[in-house]
């Protein structure tokens, strides 16, 4: 079984060979590991990892994330996604490629709208102010262009991926 | 002593206060909003009173509802925690009128010190050194721009009613003044219901050092040593420690005396904090007095062994301080890390949502004041603090090691937290050298990205989780999490 996993900017090929019982062999980026494991709970995996003549114990904590799984070890969370699953979803239209539109990074409430429809905006100009947990943040135009449509009103609750303002990019600007 | 105390707050601080009340044998009443029906503070108090909708104005900021809740439950005192109504003079005054004891300073003192411009005037009169700037509020950006010219850019716009970094903007050139004023006023109005702003000189590279004070109703005032809180993001502290790496015994004695003078000049009663900015030569300026229990109070508790909430309750009950200045000594070194629901790779933007799984660190000298649990949905309406991790050890070096070890044990899945950033920060050379100035984050960690040293292991865990099949979508009840040990599950191992 082959996986192409993505962590941050890295694509990591993983070749998996499932054995009888709780052990599996994996080749990750050309290195071979033998792994015995036990699911201690729904979110907790204990692994005994052998490779390079060494064996070490690893406790990993796993939950489902937005585009894959979050794996946390030693205080560091890794967002791991399967590129092939992502591609399948993209073909089916489940994941919408977000173009350079103005969208909040987290659930938030619209506090002020700083532009009007048909108005020209410069790259980096403040477009909309949102508030999450009492903290105000200004969302800025990703490029120079013209505001085509404002899709939200003050006090609207907005979520990541929701396009708040459509800006038509200048053809000559980039 | 009080027969019952209502805790007018939520999250970790409400739980912190309830813990001491329980130790003192005083029953507690929690208050909660729609978003907090299953919050830990709601579930853990002896009684809980529903206030209303999640919007703070309808719940934790609603004086009428909270006063009624206190009267209806027979509470004799109200502890306001920090934030919300903690520094609201009208609330303290209302409590005074209703015959409820407000566990904090008298309303007059809160009103005086709560207006940063009045506080500056009081301190100047008492001979306490203050930061150059305005001593009155001004809404007109034009006039503010003229004042800025006088004290010279960069300047800091501050909310007169401010605190917690809300309504604060650094302005480096005149052209940014109008926009920054509008933002600061709007944020201040939302946070404090008061949009008054004024200017102070922005000091480029100070340390933020504060003194914890205790003052009783009998005229006794002591200080509980200093805390250094220079490491901040968005003007909010994220790491605090005591003692300060920059402190000398002489400076401590002098600043401690100044802090006590400041408390006396304002007629202070109960626990409070006198904040200073200190430059490289040990020259210090008064910043403000926080008339509440501070978020970072556990740092002081860990090195002095004094329970500050217990002291607050005793003082509020009219008892004299039993501690003299000579009784107060620090032992070892304490550090606190604030664990917020926020994205450290995206300008610390708040990141509310459901905590899918969580495991708290433990060990000798480790304390985690926590207000959330696995399965809890962190509401978008309130401050994103999840918990405060505090450690104490023999010296600074050991305390840092202990904190890093504790952070590495911390598991929070489902929402982003600064845990990986805090680990890198504590392990960094500037932090080790004690070069903790308020520009620390901007200087050393402005474009921080999380490392991926154990990415291979993360891939293994991913594949194993995939092989083991779909997890139930429902969150695991809190009660089941800590009960799972390898001894219950090792049965299917084959070696």
């Amino acid at each position: 079984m082959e996986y192409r996993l993505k962590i941050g900017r890295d694509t990591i090929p993983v070749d998996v060979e499932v054995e009888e019982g709780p052990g599996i062999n994996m080749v990750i980026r050309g290195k071979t590991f033998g792994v015995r494991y036990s699911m201690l709970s729904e979110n907790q995996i204990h692994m005994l990892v052998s490779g390079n003549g060494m064996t070490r114990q690893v406790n990993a904590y796993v939950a489902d994330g937005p585009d894959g799984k979050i794996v946390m070890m030693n205080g560091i969370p890794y967002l791991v996604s399967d590129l092939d699953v992502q591609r399948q979803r993209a073909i089916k239209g489940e994941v919408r490629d977000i173009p350079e539109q103005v969208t909040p990074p987290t659930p938030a409430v619209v506090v002020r709208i700083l532009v009007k429809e048909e108005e020209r905006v410069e790259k980096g100009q403040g477009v909309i102010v949102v508030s999450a947990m009492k903290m105000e943040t200004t969302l800025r135009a990703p490029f120079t262009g013209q505001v085509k449509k404002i899709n939200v009103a003050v006090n609207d609750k907005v979520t990541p991926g929701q396009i708040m303002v459509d800006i038509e990019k200048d053809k000559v600007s980039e | 002593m009080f027969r019952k105390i209502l805790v007018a707050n939520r999250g970790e601080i409400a739980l912190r206060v309830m813990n001491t009340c329980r130790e003192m044998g005083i029953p507690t009443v929690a208050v909660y909003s729609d978003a907090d029906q299953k919050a830990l503070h709601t579930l853990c108090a002896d009684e809980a009173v529903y206030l209303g909708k999640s919007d703070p104005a309808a719940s934790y900021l609603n004086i009428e509802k909270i006063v009624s809740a206190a009267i209806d439950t027979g509470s004799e005192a109200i502890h306001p925690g920090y934030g919300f109504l903690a520094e609201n003079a009208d609330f303290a005054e209302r409590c005074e009128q209703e015959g409820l004891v407000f566990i904090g300073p008298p309303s007059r003192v809160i009103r005086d010190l709560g207006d940063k411009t009045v506080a500056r005037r009081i301190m100047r009169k008492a001979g306490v050194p203050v930061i150059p700037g305005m001593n009155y509020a001004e809404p007109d950006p034009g006039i503010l721009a003229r004042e800025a010219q006088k004290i010279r850019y960069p300047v800091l716009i501050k909310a007169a009613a401010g605190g917690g970094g809300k309504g604060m903007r650094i302005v480096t050139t005149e052209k940014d003044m109008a926009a920054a004023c509008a933002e600061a006023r709007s944020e201040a109005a939302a946070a404090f219901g008061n949009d008054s702003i004024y200017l102070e000189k922005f000091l480029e590279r100070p340390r933020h050092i504060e003194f914890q004070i205790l003052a009783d109703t009998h005229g006794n005032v002591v200080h509980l040593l200093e805390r250094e809180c220079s490491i901040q993001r968005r003007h909010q502290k994220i790491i605090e420690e005591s003692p300060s790496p920059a402190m000398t015994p002489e400076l401590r004695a002098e600043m401690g005396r100044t802090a006590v003078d400041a408390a006396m000049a304002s007629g202070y009663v109960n626990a409070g904090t006198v904040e200073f900015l200190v430059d490289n030569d040990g020259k210090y300026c008064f910043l403000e007095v926080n008339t509440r229990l501070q978020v970072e109070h556990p740092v002081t508790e860990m090195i002095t062994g004094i329970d500050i909430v217990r002291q607050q309750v005793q003082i509020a009950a009219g008892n004299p301080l039993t501690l003299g200045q000579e009784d107060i000594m620090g032992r070892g070194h304490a550090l606190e890390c604030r664990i917020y629901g926020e994205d450290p790779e995206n300008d610390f933007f708040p990141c509310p949502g459901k905590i899918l799984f969580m495991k708290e660190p433990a060990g000798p000298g480790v304390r985690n004041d926590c207000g959330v649990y696995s399965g809890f949905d962190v509401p978008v309406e309130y401050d994103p603090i999840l918990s405060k991790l505090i450690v104490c050890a023999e010296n600074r070096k050991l305390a840092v090691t202990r904190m890093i070890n504790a952070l590495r044990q911390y598991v929070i899945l489902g929402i982003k937290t600064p845990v990986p950033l805090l680990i890198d920060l504590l392990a960094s050379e500037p932090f080790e050298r004690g070069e903790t100035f308020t520009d620390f984050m901007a200087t050393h960690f402005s474009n921080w990205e999380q490392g991926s040293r154990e990415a291979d292991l993360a891939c293994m865990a991913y594949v194993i989780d995939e092989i083991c099949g779909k997890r139930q979508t429902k969150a695991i009840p809190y009660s089941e999490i800590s009960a799972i040990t390898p001894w219950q599950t090792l049965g299917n191992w084959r070696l």
Side-chain angles (χ1 to χ4, degrees):
Chain A
M1 209 172 359
E2 276 180 36
Y3 290 86
R4 286 188 310 133
L5 300 181
K6 193 163 168 35
I7 296 180
R9 283 183 288 267
D10 296 340
T11 300
I12 305 168
V14 180
D15 204 348
V16 183
E17 202 179 292
V18 181
E19 292 185 331
E20 285 282 305
I24 51 176
N25 288 325
M26 293 192 216
V27 182
I28 302 175
R29 293 195 267 214
K31 284 179 283 179
T32 305
F33 299 93
V35 187
R36 291 175 179 278
Y37 63 88
S38 167
M39 290 294 280
L40 301 183
S41 75
E42 289 218 312
N43 300 92
Q44 201 171 349
I45 301 172
H46 177 264
M47 303 190 287
L48 201 59
V49 181
S50 309
N52 290 337
M54 288 192 309
T55 298
R56 65 179 284 204
Q57 298 206 69
V58 179
N59 289 292
Y61 299 85
V62 189
D64 298 320
D67 298 306
K69 297 177 196 289
I70 320 154
V71 177
M72 195 159 181
M73 289 171 301
N74 296 317
I76 314 291
Y78 298 90
L79 178 58
V80 190
S81 51
D82 185 325
L83 281 175
D84 299 315
V85 172
Q86 291 300 313
R87 177 165 304 156
Q88 284 299 317
R89 280 218 224 142
I91 291 164
K92 285 191 213 148
E94 284 177 37
V95 177
R96 202 175 140 201
D97 226 14
I98 300 170
E100 295 166 292
Q101 260 108 350
V102 179
T103 181
T106 166
V109 177
V110 178
V111 181
R112 277 192 303 280
I113 298 168
L114 308 174
V115 293
K116 291 191 188 69
E117 288 184 3
E118 305 304 321
E119 188 178 326
R120 292 200 38 80
V121 288
E122 294 288 320
K123 183 177 176 179
Q125 181 182 338
V127 173
I128 267 185
V129 182
V130 295
S131 159
M133 292 167 164
K134 299 199 298 183
M135 190 65 74
E136 288 191 5
T137 300
T138 304
L139 303 177
R140 296 175 188 283
F143 39 69
T144 301
Q146 187 174 30
V147 176
K148 279 288 145 198
K149 195 161 183 298
I150 294 168
N151 304 314
V152 293
V154 169
N155 289 329
D156 278 6
K157 284 200 175 185
V158 288
T159 52
Q162 183 175 345
I163 300 243
M164 301 165 69
V165 177
D166 291 330
I167 301 171
E168 192 176 79
K169 194 172 182 174
D170 280 3
K171 290 198 180 73
V172 286
S173 70
E174 301 271 314
Chain B
M1 192 37 71
F2 305 117
R3 278 203 305 273
K4 202 186 266 183
I5 292 177
L6 181 138
V7 182
N9 214 301
R10 61 180 302 281
E12 66 84 20
I13 194 61
L15 287 151
R16 157 74 192 89
V17 171
M18 288 174 194
N19 266 324
T20 290
C21 292
R22 201 160 292 134
E23 287 176 20
M24 297 178 81
I26 305 169
T28 53
V29 180
V31 288
Y32 66 97
S33 68
D34 278 337
D36 278 339
Q37 294 185 38
K38 289 187 178 152
L40 219 44
H41 78 278
T42 311
L43 306 175
C44 293
D46 294 298
E47 289 170 69
V49 178
Y50 171 71
L51 292 177
K53 291 209 161 53
S54 307
D55 179 4
S59 51
Y60 302 104
L61 284 175
N62 193 303
I63 295 177
E64 286 310 313
K65 287 181 181 172
I66 289 170
V67 166
S68 302
I71 292 168
D72 293 348
T73 52
S75 302
E76 292 182 327
I78 297 183
H79 196 300
Y82 57 73
F84 296 121
L85 296 171
E87 288 167 287
N88 184 314
D90 294 339
F91 178 60
E93 190 173 359
R94 183 67 196 280
C95 290
E96 287 158 13
Q97 287 162 358
E98 298 285 348
L100 294 161
V101 176
F102 176 81
I103 303 178
S107 56
R108 181 190 55 76
V109 175
I110 300 176
R111 192 160 283 131
D112 284 353
L113 296 175
D115 186 326
K116 306 303 175 204
T117 57
V118 176
R120 286 169 61 85
R121 295 200 289 267
I122 293 174
M123 295 308 153
R124 265 180 45 158
K125 211 169 139 197
V128 174
V130 300
I131 298 167
M134 296 164 65
N135 293 321
Y136 58 91
E138 176 54 58
D140 183 340
I143 297 175
L144 286 166
R146 275 207 295 282
E147 287 289 335
Q149 298 242 298
K150 265 191 245 163
I151 55 176
R152 291 228 281 275
Y153 289 99
V155 296
L156 192 58
I157 302 175
K158 291 180 81 172
K166 305 274 159 62
M168 205 141 70
R169 291 289 185 281
I170 301 167
V171 184
T172 48
T173 62
E174 187 166 343
K175 74 174 168 54
D176 297 337
M177 184 59 93
C181 285
E183 273 182 41
R185 287 182 62 186
S186 150
E187 205 172 288
F192 316 112
N194 175 349
D195 69 355
S196 303
I197 52 172
Y198 72 104
L199 294 182
E200 272 179 16
K201 174 79 187 156
F202 177 68
L203 303 178
E204 298 275 1
R205 245 199 145 190
R207 287 173 188 270
H208 178 120
I209 297 179
E210 60 187 28
F211 277 74
Q212 174 72 52
I213 52 145
L214 290 175
D216 66 16
T217 49
H218 306 269
N220 304 304
V221 185
V222 294
H223 72 83
L224 270 55
L225 315 174
E226 82 279 7
R227 292 184 288 257
E228 162 133 11
C229 317
S230 302
I231 302 202
Q232 309 183 354
R233 53 104 190 84
R234 312 185 98 154
H235 303 293
Q236 271 188 327
K237 303 156 185 171
I238 48 173
I239 296 183
E240 296 101 344
E241 61 184 309
S242 185
S244 159
M247 194 53 81
T248 61
E250 296 74 32
L251 184 59
R252 178 177 296 123
E254 192 191 327
M255 289 179 72
R257 265 197 309 275
T258 307
V260 168
D261 289 347
M264 284 179 160
S266 58
Y268 206 88
V269 177
N270 213 288
T273 299
V274 184
E275 298 191 334
F276 298 98
L277 292 182
V278 183
D279 73 12
N280 253 339
D281 311 322
K283 202 168 133 264
Y284 58 92
C285 282
F286 168 81
L287 184 62
E288 60 186 42
V289 180
N290 292 133
T291 58
R292 58 165 192 269
L293 182 66
Q294 294 269 96
V295 176
E296 59 272 23
H297 75 277
V299 167
T300 300
E301 295 186 324
M302 293 290 264
I303 62 154
T304 60
I306 295 166
D307 180 339
I308 296 172
V309 173
R310 181 181 283 262
Q311 295 291 328
Q312 285 193 292
V313 174
Q314 294 285 2
I315 292 167
N319 297 331
L321 283 174
T322 52
L323 295 160
Q325 192 63 57
E326 65 286 355
D327 301 322
I328 295 154
M329 261 173 297
R331 190 177 179 141
H333 198 100
L335 281 170
E336 175 182 279
C337 285
R338 298 192 190 185
I339 314 296
Y340 286 94
E342 63 185 17
D343 184 353
E345 286 181 324
N346 186 11
D347 206 15
F348 300 97
F349 204 82
C351 182
K354 199 183 198 78
I355 297 176
L356 301 172
F357 180 83
M358 125 169 224
K359 187 171 90 56
E360 296 179 50
V366 176
R367 162 177 170 182
N368 192 39
D369 282 17
C370 181
V372 296
Y373 57 91
S374 297
F376 182 62
D377 217 328
V378 179
V380 64
E381 287 85 356
Y382 313 119
D383 246 17
I385 195 159
L386 309 175
S387 84
K388 301 177 319 208
L389 182 58
I390 310 110
V391 301
C392 191
E394 288 100 291
N395 57 45
R396 188 170 190 267
K397 194 165 187 243
L398 293 177
V400 170
T401 316
R402 181 162 282 175
M403 181 60 93
I404 291 173
N405 187 43
L407 286 165
R408 288 168 64 94
Q409 287 179 45
Y410 217 142
V411 183
I412 302 174
L413 297 177
I415 60 176
K416 290 181 176 166
T417 75
V419 167
L421 167 73
L422 290 164
I423 293 171
D424 285 357
L425 200 161
L426 290 160
S428 72
E429 280 181 20
F431 187 83
E432 190 191 326
R433 288 196 297 265
E435 289 166 9
T436 49
F437 306 97
T438 47
D439 65 354
F440 186 92
M441 294 301 295
T443 308
H444 304 293
F445 287 91
S446 60
N447 285 309
W448 177 85
E449 277 183 36
Q450 179 189 309
S452 56
R453 210 163 47 85
E454 295 186 311
D456 289 355
L457 295 173
C459 290
M460 288 177 205
Y462 180 97
V463 170
I464 290 166
D465 194 66
E466 200 62 23
I467 290 169
C468 289
K470 221 177 169 71
R471 123 182 56 247
Q472 292 173 22
T473 43
K474 82 172 177 60
I476 308 171
Y478 189 55
S479 57
E480 288 174 20
I481 295 148
S482 52
I484 298 150
T485 73
W487 306 114
Q488 293 166 304
T489 46
L490 272 177
N492 59 3
W493 272 61
R494 243 193 280 160
L495 286 169

